[in-house]
Each structure stands twice: as structure tokens, then as C-alpha cells.
Amino acid sequence: MIDSECWAVTGFVGERFGVTLRGHDGEPLGELVQLALRRNPKRAHLLVSTVLGKHVPVDPRSVHETGLRLGRAVAGRVDEPPALVIGYAETATGLGHCVAEALGADYLHSTRRAIDGLAPAGSFVEQHSHATGHLLLPEDPALLSRSGVVVLVDDEFSTGATALNTIAELQRLCPRARYVIAALVDLRTPIDRERTLDTAARLGTSVEVVSLASGAVSWPDGFAAQAAEFVGAQMDVPQRVARADVIEVPARWTARESGRHGFTPDDQVAARAAAAAQAGAVMPTGPAVLVLGAEELMYAPLLIAVELAGRDGLDVSFSSSTRSPVLAVDEPGYPIRTMLRFAAHDGTGTRYAYNIATGFDDIVVVLDTDEPDLIAVLRTACDRLHVVRLPSSRPAPPALRGPAFGSYAADEVAWLLTDLSDVALEAPIEEREEAVQSGGAHYAESLPIEYQPSAEYQALFAAALDETAERIAHAVGVVTELVLDARGPGAVLVSLARAGTPIGILMRRWAQREHNLDLPHYAVSIVRGRGIDKVALRHLAAHHDPAQVMFVDGWTGKGAIARELAAAVREADPRFSPQLAVLADTGSCVSLYGTRADFLIPSACLNSTVSGLVSRTVRNDRVIAPGRFDGAKFYKELAFADVSGLFLDAISARFAAVADEVARDWPKLRDSDRTPTWSGWAAVEQISAKYGINNVNLVKPGVGETTRVLLRRVPWRVLVHPDAGAELRHVLLLATQRGVPVEEVPDLPYSCVGLIHPAYTRGATGADGRVAR
């Protein structure tokens, strides 16, 4: 509350119209805000922040540090990280990001940008704003249903009406006991403060306000009319001539660009790295450089500006465009001296950029939409205009299902993938191997050309399926019973695409037949060296209890994916268990399995034609926007060769025959010592050393992995156990067709092992004198 120990902020508005901004002694109110006039009949004055980077260009490091300082002030009032931080569009989106960064909390900002097909999880009104409607569009609606303290962030807390409208909406969605409002300045009157307390009590909650300074605004009678007359008499914006060259900056941004649909601490780390990369692609000549964000897009441009501000020879400022129509007057003591005006990209009216019409050599504009009118007007304000276009993340679309994607029935599996069927991603096997081993590309950035087996090979697949169907059915039953014992009837199966997907479907069918359970089943992407798809995890957490999720794969070899899964899940979302259930644990890497024998699982014999006509998964930032699932292709043109349903039906048809045996065997396995020994990993290390490879990733143990080497990679040789027998017929046939030597190894701990040639280059000669092809 304002008392006698206060002082007045003067300036053009105060001197001309008698408006007074008063602050407390010892508080930096005058360093944080100034008064301006605006074209708005609801409120004639505007508090212009001098540290926000919205209307007044300012050093980006000061903007960032001020936001962090507000966040640290909030941290002093809460005992644990808040359930959520919410910032207000458009002015406080960047400020809210900074507060969430300081708190290590998840973040969401309101938006005025509707998304087709995405229903708002909530909405509220800002009465005094030029644009009153606010939408809450989280990708995960559960974000707004978390218990715990919610922090609301705005640049100013003037009457409290907007915050109270927000709290009323949030209480409707999920009642909670406490809210904290964080603002740069708190300018409520005593009446407003009383209203805040009364409304909070009526809503069954408490509200606490944290600010960097407090004070009050007062104005004489007749001010609104005088201001409107003065604003109406001002001359229009003068015509300007474009002079700047436009430089399109290469895209280097690989993170979420804003908190419009949610922003986690992991996203924040990714954004800092992306900002450094993107700033590295910007080459301003300077010395006076402005980085300009666009409306709600403030945090990403701010981080890029912070990176540029560290360069020698550059004087970097930061600001952003706005919807708010503020009067520009070139008078001393008035904060808005110049205005640039342009049409909004979406036809919703006029937008503005203030105090940037003069004084900058280079402007770096950062956009997440196409803004032709803004670019045109910025060309009048500088010598060089650098245009940075960030990919605009969208909430991930619904899961893909057959028959629109894949040949499996819609209820068999939901693919948490992006459909890349129309994107050219295939490369010859030799070219891919050369790029991967040389470090020029990651294996998950492209796809091998789908190998179509010969008629002889397909006949071997059919024979192998007939021979092994009952054995596989038994293993499916055992591992499904172990999963239901571990997770209960509410289990959620999440297979690792694509080898795990047919196994997940078979497990789902077993649960339906034996227990009348309709288990949800999803397929997600995991990439060696890059972890599990975090967007898919967010989708799963939004629709299911993470504790009920069980990851499923076809088999283990040396255990690389089991290790990758454990590390990735711990990092991405520890609410999920990294426990992995597999049909065949040949490497002794997991505790949930149907068998540990190394035998042929026929689904390993083929590629997409036994996996729902879906490719292996792709993680490539050039074709997948932030916030989207990893991708895959649907090879519908291979439908003539599809045996995906044949494989499933052949195994399912044996369920009745093995049901009694499974009922007898799975409890014995449950009660036995199933502790992983990681014997497979140790064996692979020995093989790697023995053959001078010194890279365990090039050693693929087991029937399934050896088959993949022969189908997808550039094989060097195949090691086989002399007693492996008929189960290796398809391996021997593929080796013969590709001219790969086969070596018998009596003490081999697997039926077979495939070796990829180390340091492969096209035409290079291997250690055995063969040309690697």
C-alpha cells in the first residue's frame, strides 16, 4: 500500500496531463516502467516497461536477468517447484519463460492464436486489453490439472482482474489451494487489493503477489477525454523508403520455439543450445544491432539476442512487435518515440513495432510465421535485415492407425509416429553405411531401400513360420502373463517400433483371449544414441498412468536398446519405468521374457512386409518439426507382398494349443532368478576384440540381428554355431546371395552373429582381402 514514504515518476504524460506514477522509497519502480498514451477507450494510459524488451529496445542480457530475478523472488516464497508457470500473451510470454527457467518448472503461456482442430483447454478475458481473449492450448491438457502451486506471470499487476479471471478458470479445471502472481510491478489500489483477497476466498484458494516494485497510478478528472483528443490530433505515420538488403538466415533451430503448447525444463535446455546454433548462423555487420521478436514469440529471439550480445564489436538490443496501438511522440521524457505499422499475417488487423525506426544498422527479425508486411516495413529501418525463420511447433497429431497408416487393424496398434510416406528418405545401403561410420550422418536420419526377398527366401519364411509358430506362441503367453503380473489388468503396452510391434500385438491378443482384457497398445520410436521419442512419452503421460506402461520389444541381442531405454526414460520422464519385456532375451539383458533361447523369430526375416508395411523409424530435424513424433513411412505399394497379418494369425492360432503349458510354466519362471547377467554384452565385447573391430555397435548377435545385418547393412562376415541347424537356413541363403563369408565358431554363445565391416568405405578392402560391398 502507498504511504507517505513514496516518490513520483515524472515525464511527458505526467507533465502534460497530470498523471502520476508513485513508487516506494528503495524500490526501483522508475527503473522498470514509464507512462505512455494509447488508442484504447478502456484505458488511456499504458505502462511501458523499460526492461521487458517489448516496446523499448534494451540489452537482452538485462531482459533475461530481470526475468530470472523475478523467478528467484518467487522461489523464495515456495517450498518446491511449482506445478506450472503460466505467462500472459502477448507482453509477458518471454518474462514467463524466464521465471519458469529460474524455477526449473514447466511452462505454458496463453495465446491469441487459435489452432485448427485443437480445442482450448481453457480461456479467459483481459478486460482492459486491446485484444481481450486468451486461450490455453497445452499439448497435454493434464498440464492444467496438476495439483500444487501455480505461478501466473505478467509484466504489471494493475487491477488484478485478468489474474482473477485466470484463477477462476483454473479452479474450474482443477481446484488448488494456492496461486502466486509474479509481476515486475504491482500497481493495485487498496480497493483492488481487497478485491483480490475477497475473490480468492470465494474461489476457495489463496493468492500471493510477488513483484520487483510496487506503487500506484493516479490521474485527474477528464484525463481520458483529454488523452483521446490529443491522440486523435497526432499526425499519421510518415511514408518511408525501403533500403535494407534482406538476408535469409539458414535454419539452425531444433527445439520448441515457445511455450504456447507447453515447455518443459528439457525444452529450455534444448532452446539454449538451439539459440547458440542459430545465433552462429547470423552474421550482422553492426555495430548497432536489434533482434526483434514477433508478438508472442519472445523467448527464442531473446535467447538468440543474448548469444549475439556476447560478440565483440556488436551493440545488441532486443525488442518485439505488438498488437497494442500506442501513441508515438518524439518528445523528451516520453518512452515511445517512433512507430512502425504493418498488417498482421493472418488478416486480423494492424501490428506495431516501436522505437526501432532509426538507430540500427542491422535488424535480426525472428519469426515463426510468414510476415511479409513486417519484413517490408523493417527494410525501411536499417541497412541490413536478417530474417530468421523458426519452425512453429504444433501439438502432436493423434496417433496413426490402420488402414490409413500401416496394414494392421486400427484396434491392434496406435503408431505414435509422423507419417513421412511422401518424403524421399531412402539411400543405397552402401552409401548409408559409409555416411554412418564416417560420422557424416546418423543411421536414423535416413532409410535403407527396402530389400525385397526372392521367392526362395519367402518360401523359407513360410516354412520357418510353420515350424516355430507354436514355440513363439508359448513365449508370447509366458511374457504376457509376466507383464500382467507386474502391471495388473490396467497394463499399457508400448512396443518399440518396429520389431516390437508385432510382438506387442500378439501379447494384446493373448490378453484378450485368456483374460478378456483389451489392453491399449502403442508403438513408439527409440533411436540408439539419441534416446526415446520424448514427444511420444508426453502423449502417453497425457492419456495413461505412466506407472502402468510396459515397454515391449522383439528380442535382445547384446542389450544396447535395453540400456538406451533405461537411460532415456530416466532422463526424459522418471514417472515411467524403463522395464522392458521381450519375446526372446538371448543376451540375458532383461527380467521379463518369454524365453532366453536364441531361435528364429520369423518376423526378423523380413522388413516392412512383416511389420505392417511400416519402415523403421526416422529422427531427422530437417523433415520433422519440433513437437512432432519421430517419423516412419507406410509402404502401401508393397501390399502385394504383405505377410504381417499372416504372421500374427499363424501364431495366434497356436494359443489354444499352448495355453495349458503356459499356465504351468509362467509361474515357475516368475518365481525363478531372472536377474540379467548381461552375458550377451560380454560376449560381444570378446568378439569385437577377437576380430579387431573394437566397436560393439558393429557386432550384431543372434538370429534376428544377424538377419538385419544381411538385409540392411554392409555385412563383413557371419559367424555361426556348428549345431545351429535348420533355423539358420534363411541366414545362409542371404549370406550366399550377398557374397558374405560364413565362419563356424564352436564356442559361439549364439546361434549366429553378424559382423559389419569396420571403417567401411566404398571399395575398401577388408581384413580378409575381400572388397566391402
Side-chain angles (χ1 to χ4, degrees):
M1 182 177 293
I2 299 297
D3 55 30
S4 57
E5 296 183 9
C6 63
W7 44 267
V9 178
T10 59
F12 177 84
V13 175
E15 293 172 357
R16 178 138 189 172
F17 298 98
V19 180
T20 303
L21 176 63
R22 295 178 297 149
H24 290 115
D25 287 342
E27 292 190 354
L29 184 63
E31 301 172 13
L32 299 175
V33 291
Q34 293 179 325
L35 284 167
L37 302 177
R38 62 178 176 177
R39 298 179 177 92
N40 188 334
K42 301 172 186 176
R43 184 185 292 176
H45 70 276
L46 176 74
L47 287 166
V48 175
S49 172
T50 58
V51 295
L52 193 63
K54 176 51 87 170
H55 303 89
V56 178
V58 64
D59 188 319
R61 293 165 295 192
S62 175
V63 176
H64 190 224
E65 177 54 35
T66 300
L68 295 179
R69 182 154 55 99
L70 181 59
R72 290 192 290 267
V74 173
R77 305 287 187 89
V78 295
D79 297 328
E80 57 185 6
L84 182 65
V85 175
I86 298 177
Y88 286 98
E90 62 181 50
T91 305
T93 58
L95 180 65
H97 265 290
C98 295
V99 170
E101 178 184 343
L103 292 169
D106 287 346
Y107 177 62
L108 177 74
H109 70 68
S110 66
T111 180
R112 296 183 174 109
R113 185 188 298 180
I115 303 295
D116 290 341
L118 181 62
S123 62
F124 56 90
V125 171
E126 182 181 6
Q127 284 98 331
H128 66 265
S129 174
H130 180 69
T132 59
H134 287 251
L135 304 174
L136 296 174
L137 298 176
E139 178 178 7
D140 178 4
L143 200 63
L144 297 174
S145 299
R146 295 177 180 174
S147 59
V149 177
V150 169
V151 178
L152 306 177
V153 181
D154 209 349
D155 59 320
E156 62 168 282
F157 197 37
S158 52
T159 67
T162 302
L164 294 176
N165 289 342
T166 310
I167 292 170
E169 177 71 345
L170 295 175
Q171 287 294 91
R172 180 185 68 83
L173 297 171
C174 176
R176 48 180 60 82
R178 186 184 179 202
Y179 292 84
V180 174
I181 299 171
L184 295 176
V185 296
D186 179 3
L187 299 174
R188 290 173 299 159
T189 66
I191 294 175
D192 294 329
R193 292 169 186 267
E194 191 67 30
R195 183 187 303 114
T196 300
L197 296 175
D198 292 343
T199 304
R202 178 173 54 81
L203 294 172
T205 189
S206 67
V207 175
E208 183 176 357
V209 179
V210 176
S211 66
L212 299 184
S214 59
V217 181
S218 61
W219 51 87
D221 294 339
F223 163 62
Q226 295 175 22
E229 181 181 358
F230 180 79
V231 169
Q234 299 308 302
M235 294 180 62
D236 205 353
V237 179
Q239 192 72 25
R240 302 172 59 87
V241 177
R243 68 179 193 273
D245 295 326
V246 177
I247 303 165
E248 291 284 345
V249 179
R252 297 289 186 269
W253 189 271
T254 57
R256 282 182 180 264
E257 84 292 353
S258 77
R260 184 177 292 113
H261 306 301
F263 202 87
T264 69
D266 282 345
D267 290 324
Q268 196 277 322
V269 172
R272 293 301 296 265
Q278 189 63 69
V282 180
M283 297 298 170
T285 304
V289 178
L290 172 73
V291 178
L292 184 72
E295 291 192 59
E296 296 173 7
L297 182 67
M298 293 185 69
Y299 188 61
L302 173 62
L303 295 182
I304 294 171
V306 168
E307 293 290 336
L308 290 174
R311 292 188 192 175
D312 292 338
L314 296 183
D315 180 12
V316 179
S317 299
F318 170 72
S319 187
S320 58
S321 64
T322 178
R323 291 172 177 248
S324 184
V326 187
L327 176 65
V329 181
D330 191 14
E331 291 282 351
Y334 188 75
I336 306 297
R337 307 294 285 272
T338 67
M339 172 206 296
L340 294 178
R341 185 169 60 188
F342 58 97
H345 73 282
D346 56 3
T348 57
T350 303
R351 303 292 189 265
Y352 309 89
Y354 298 108
N355 292 323
I356 69 169
T358 59
F360 294 103
D361 303 303
D362 294 74
I363 293 178
V364 180
V365 61
V366 184
L367 306 172
D368 63 350
T369 58
D370 190 24
E371 295 275 8
D373 284 359
L374 173 58
I375 290 174
V377 76
L378 290 178
R379 292 189 61 205
T380 70
C382 61
D383 296 323
R384 290 164 297 276
L385 177 62
H386 309 257
V387 181
V388 177
R389 301 182 189 274
L390 304 187
S392 182
S393 61
R394 295 287 187 270
L400 302 173
R401 294 181 183 269
F405 184 86
S407 62
Y408 294 131
D411 63 341
E412 299 266 38
V413 61
W415 302 90
L416 300 187
L417 296 171
T418 298
D419 188 354
L420 301 178
S421 300
D422 296 328
V423 181
L425 291 166
E426 289 80 5
I429 291 176
E430 293 180 349
E431 290 184 10
R432 289 186 77 249
E433 194 66 49
E434 186 174 351
V436 170
Q437 289 204 37
S438 67
H442 191 276
Y443 80 89
E445 293 176 350
S446 63
L447 291 171
I449 296 174
E450 284 281 304
Y451 174 83
Q452 291 310 304
S454 65
E456 183 181 8
Y457 185 86
Q458 289 175 323
L460 277 177
F461 165 80
L465 179 57
D466 183 63
E467 293 168 3
T468 61
E470 192 162 309
R471 190 176 184 181
I472 294 172
H474 180 273
V476 167
V478 169
V479 72
T480 306
E481 295 295 344
L482 290 173
V483 167
L484 292 175
D485 183 63
R487 293 290 188 272
V492 178
L493 304 179
V494 178
S495 59
L496 304 181
R498 67 184 168 180
T501 305
I503 308 306
I505 293 174
L506 287 170
M507 293 172 64
R508 185 176 182 276
R509 288 187 178 186
W510 179 276
Q512 283 178 319
R513 184 188 186 280
E514 297 299 317
H515 301 282
N516 197 30
L517 293 175
D518 190 17
L519 300 184
H521 176 218
Y522 299 86
V524 303
S525 170
I526 187 169
V527 175
R528 193 186 71 243
R530 296 188 177 180
I532 198 164
D533 186 348
K534 295 180 181 179
V535 178
L537 283 189
R538 286 199 293 266
H539 181 97
L540 291 169
H543 295 85
H544 302 283
D545 179 359
Q548 296 296 107
V549 166
M550 177 62 72
F551 295 102
V552 174
D553 207 358
W555 56 84
T556 65
K558 56 182 173 287
I561 290 299
R563 290 189 175 194
E564 187 77 40
L565 179 67
V569 169
R570 279 195 300 267
E571 176 196 358
D573 192 338
R575 292 178 297 170
F576 290 89
S577 166
Q579 196 170 26
L580 179 64
V582 300
L583 190 70
D585 181 28
T586 57
S588 187
C589 309
V590 300
S591 60
L592 294 176
Y593 53 86
T595 179
R596 276 183 170 160
D598 183 19
F599 70 100
L600 174 61
I601 301 173
S603 60
C605 293
L606 302 173
N607 285 324
S608 66
T609 53
V610 78
S611 304
L613 296 180
V614 174
S615 73
R616 54 159 300 281
T617 60
V618 173
R619 186 172 301 175
N620 187 326
D621 294 334
R622 293 189 296 275
V623 296
I624 301 174
R628 296 285 181 170
F629 300 129
D630 286 358
K633 302 186 79 167
F634 174 25
Y635 292 118
K636 60 183 67 152
E637 66 275 14
L638 299 179
F640 70 94
D642 187 24
V643 293
S644 303
L646 173 67
F647 173 76
L648 296 175
D649 292 344
I651 307 300
S652 301
R654 306 306 204 278
F655 285 170
V658 301
D660 291 342
E661 188 179 358
V662 169
R664 182 180 65 248
D665 291 346
W666 85 261
K668 297 178 183 178
L669 184 56
R670 176 195 59 193
D671 298 335
S672 67
D673 183 5
R674 293 174 283 129
T675 304
T677 66
W678 294 93
S679 58
W681 193 276
V684 165
E685 289 181 327
Q686 292 173 2
I687 293 170
S688 177
K690 177 180 178 180
Y691 286 87
I693 296 175
N694 298 317
N695 183 347
V696 293
N697 290 327
L698 302 183
V699 180
K700 304 296 184 179
V703 179
E705 292 302 310
T706 302
T707 302
R708 288 180 166 195
V709 169
L710 291 166
L711 289 175
R712 303 182 193 169
R713 306 296 291 270
V714 178
W716 178 33
R717 66 181 71 194
V718 173
L719 312 181
V720 301
H721 195 286
D723 300 331
E727 288 184 351
L728 296 187
R729 284 177 301 178
H730 77 290
V731 171
L732 300 178
L733 176 61
L734 281 175
T736 299
Q737 290 177 342
R738 298 201 62 185
V740 180
V742 176
E743 177 182 335
E744 287 192 352
V745 181
D747 58 348
L748 195 68
Y750 294 90
S751 296
C752 59
V753 175
L755 304 183
I756 301 169
H757 200 294
Y760 172 82
T761 55
R762 186 183 296 122
T765 301
D768 58 355
R770 296 180 61 256
V771 174
R773 292 198 182 280

